[in-house]
Amino acid sequence: MFSVTVREHLMIAHSFRGEVFGPAQRLHGATFLVDATFRRPELDADNIVVDIGLATSELGSVVGEFNYRNLDDESEFAGTNTSTEFLAKVIADRLADRVHAGALGEGARGLAGITVTLHESHIAWASYERAL
């Protein structure tokens, strides 16, 4: 399997509900490194996995929808614990929608999957992997 990874960063504020989250139940900020890895079993006609420029641009656009926002104030996340794992899935699903819409080029229609990893720090991160 071939893969290409592009990177962006994301800065948000949010809070959590539930004792399991301890002090993170209070409003706090988080800064993530966001890696999006695109996979396919064979290279396309141009011998690439995906156009890196388009992948970078689309990841930036998806991440930009949340950057510098308090997710507690976003209606689509009302009542949701916007955990690192949850946000990785949201970003992966939105990238998948863009692949299916052709935003990453026709060659990207041959992609087999996407993995999005959000790095909370140098010692903790979470990923979501999905098929296309």
Side-chain angles (χ1 to χ4, degrees), residues 44-119:
D44 72 6
D46 296 310
N47 276 340
I48 61 174
V49 172
V50 67
D51 181 310
I52 290 175
L54 289 175
T56 300
S57 177
E58 292 303 317
L59 176 60
S61 181
V62 167
V63 167
E65 296 172 13
F66 312 114
N67 208 18
Y68 295 107
R69 295 227 170 110
N70 179 349
L71 300 184
D72 295 350
D73 293 339
E74 300 296 317
S75 61
E76 70 181 294
F77 300 132
T80 301
N81 280 330
T82 52
S83 65
T84 306
E85 299 90 334
F86 175 84
L87 291 174
K89 181 181 185 317
V90 168
I91 293 169
D93 289 346
R94 290 186 184 195
L95 284 172
D97 290 345
R98 289 169 184 242
V99 168
H100 294 308
L104 279 84
E106 284 302 309
R109 294 189 191 278
L111 290 168
I114 297 174
T115 301
V116 171
T117 302
L118 272 66
H119 301 263

Side-chain angles (χ1 to χ4, degrees), residues 1-6 36-52 107-108 110-115 129-130 132:
M1 187 70 67
F2 293 93
S3 68
V4 164
T5 301
V6 295
T37 301
F38 300 86
R39 295 180 322 280
R40 67 187 307 145
E42 302 293 333
L43 298 177
D44 72 6
D46 296 310
N47 276 340
I48 61 174
V49 172
V50 67
D51 181 310
I52 290 175
L111 290 168
I114 297 174
T115 301
E129 182 177 339
R130 62 159 291 161
L132 289 174

